[in-house]
Amino acid sequence: MSYGRYGSRVGRLPREAFRPSALFLGLLALLAVSGYMAWADLGDARFNVFLFVAAGWTISLCLHEYSHALVAYKGGDDDVAHRGYLTLNPLKYTHPLLSIVLPLVFVLLGGIGLPGGAVWVNHAAIRSRFVDSLISFAGPAANLVMAVLLVLPFGLGLDAGGEHETFFAGLAFLAFLQLTASVLNFVPMPGVDGGNLLYPWLSPQWQRGFNHMAPYGMLILIALLWSPRINAWFFNVVYWIGDLIGLPSYQAAVGYELFRFWNR
């Protein structure tokens, strides 16, 4: 596909470039089945929550990267469609280890929604610096929107009465993970979405320094989280935002304990 004289696109991409992958649909099915089992208290409650949260978190990683890719595509980069980023296939996003496996490991170890690796974007094809920034903004914004949607049932009082406690605990923990991912992603550090959001507006000199640090930005962020003071500050921000949107922190804590089904 190419661009016409006035920037309009010539030709069409095949429908397969925009069709949700079978793997993503399978994740949705797993989310639905495990969610129902948690809702109806069928089988092992802890394992149900584990499957529900793991499937939901992986789906949110796909939607995070898809949001980056969709804005990039609308902003002029057709390569994201050719690379399969618009199919919501988790195996298409940069690297399965960095984008999917590592974030899942951090959820298992510490209940933190670690940002996944970003999609590859042809920034030379993007129409403006504003759109370039919007591409980076779209991923963590998607996590924040998902957090708000997941909290809605609590705001509507659907968890009242003490029924379906297992399901709502898992739902609260999944919402909590979305908040942690949003806060981490908005950190203005090279190599993280928050830093990439600022990058188009930096001077060439600052951009060169940014590019030198970008490959290590995620590692620096992970290392900082091991500091008790920074870790405490980080979670204080997450809980503060959670309170603003109505996330019941006690149910999120219960969900985290249920999620760790191996610790009985």
Side-chain angles (χ1 to χ4, degrees), residues 126-144:
I126 303 303
R127 298 191 181 100
S128 69
R129 287 190 294 177
F130 174 77
V131 174
D132 212 353
S133 290
L134 193 60
I135 292 170
S136 299
F137 174 81
N143 289 114
L144 189 56

Side-chain angles (χ1 to χ4, degrees), residues 80-124:
V80 294
H82 290 294
R83 293 190 177 109
Y85 295 154
L86 298 178
T87 64
L88 291 162
N89 186 342
L91 300 181
K92 293 290 186 180
Y93 298 124
T94 304
H95 193 285
L97 175 64
L98 299 177
S99 301
I100 304 296
V101 177
L102 192 59
L104 280 175
V105 168
F106 262 73
V107 170
L108 294 174
L109 294 178
I112 297 176
L114 187 73
V119 299
W120 291 99
V121 175
N122 179 12
H123 293 279

Side-chain angles (χ1 to χ4, degrees), residues 16 26-27 172 186 196 214 247:
E16 289 74 15
L27 288 169
F186 277 127
N196 296 334
L247 173 65

Side-chain angles (χ1 to χ4, degrees), residues 72-248:
Y73 176 73
K74 294 294 186 180
D77 181 12
D78 296 327
D79 290 342
V80 294
H82 290 294
R83 293 190 177 109
Y85 295 154
L86 298 178
T87 64
L88 291 162
N89 186 342
L91 300 181
K92 293 290 186 180
Y93 298 124
T94 304
H95 193 285
L97 175 64
L98 299 177
S99 301
I100 304 296
V101 177
L102 192 59
L104 280 175
V105 168
F106 262 73
V107 170
L108 294 174
L109 294 178
I112 297 176
L114 187 73
V119 299
W120 291 99
V121 175
N122 179 12
H123 293 279
I126 303 303
R127 298 191 181 100
S128 69
R129 287 190 294 177
F130 174 77
V131 174
D132 212 353
S133 290
L134 193 60
I135 292 170
S136 299
F137 174 81
N143 289 114
L144 189 56
V145 169
M146 284 184 277
V148 172
L149 292 176
L150 291 170
V151 167
L152 276 179
F154 300 100
L156 296 174
L158 299 182
D159 63 322
E163 298 181 352
H164 313 293
E165 291 180 351
T166 300
F167 172 81
F168 284 111
L171 192 69
F173 179 50
L174 186 56
F176 179 80
L177 290 177
Q178 303 306 318
L179 287 183
T180 61
S182 297
V183 174
L184 283 174
N185 272 285
F186 277 127
V187 172
M189 178 179 291
V192 181
D193 288 332
N196 296 334
L197 190 156
L198 300 174
Y199 180 83
W201 308 95
L202 300 177
S203 67
Q205 181 180 359
W206 279 90
Q207 287 183 345
R208 286 192 294 270
F210 185 101
N211 291 332
H212 285 304
M213 285 193 62
Y216 313 104
M218 183 63 69
L219 294 176
I220 295 172
L221 185 59
I222 293 172
L224 289 173
L225 287 174
W226 287 103
S227 166
R229 178 173 295 182
I230 294 177
N231 188 278
W233 174 84
F234 166 75
F235 278 108
N236 284 338
V237 172
V238 171
Y239 285 123
W240 176 72
I241 298 174
D243 289 339
L244 285 180
I245 66 174
L247 173 65

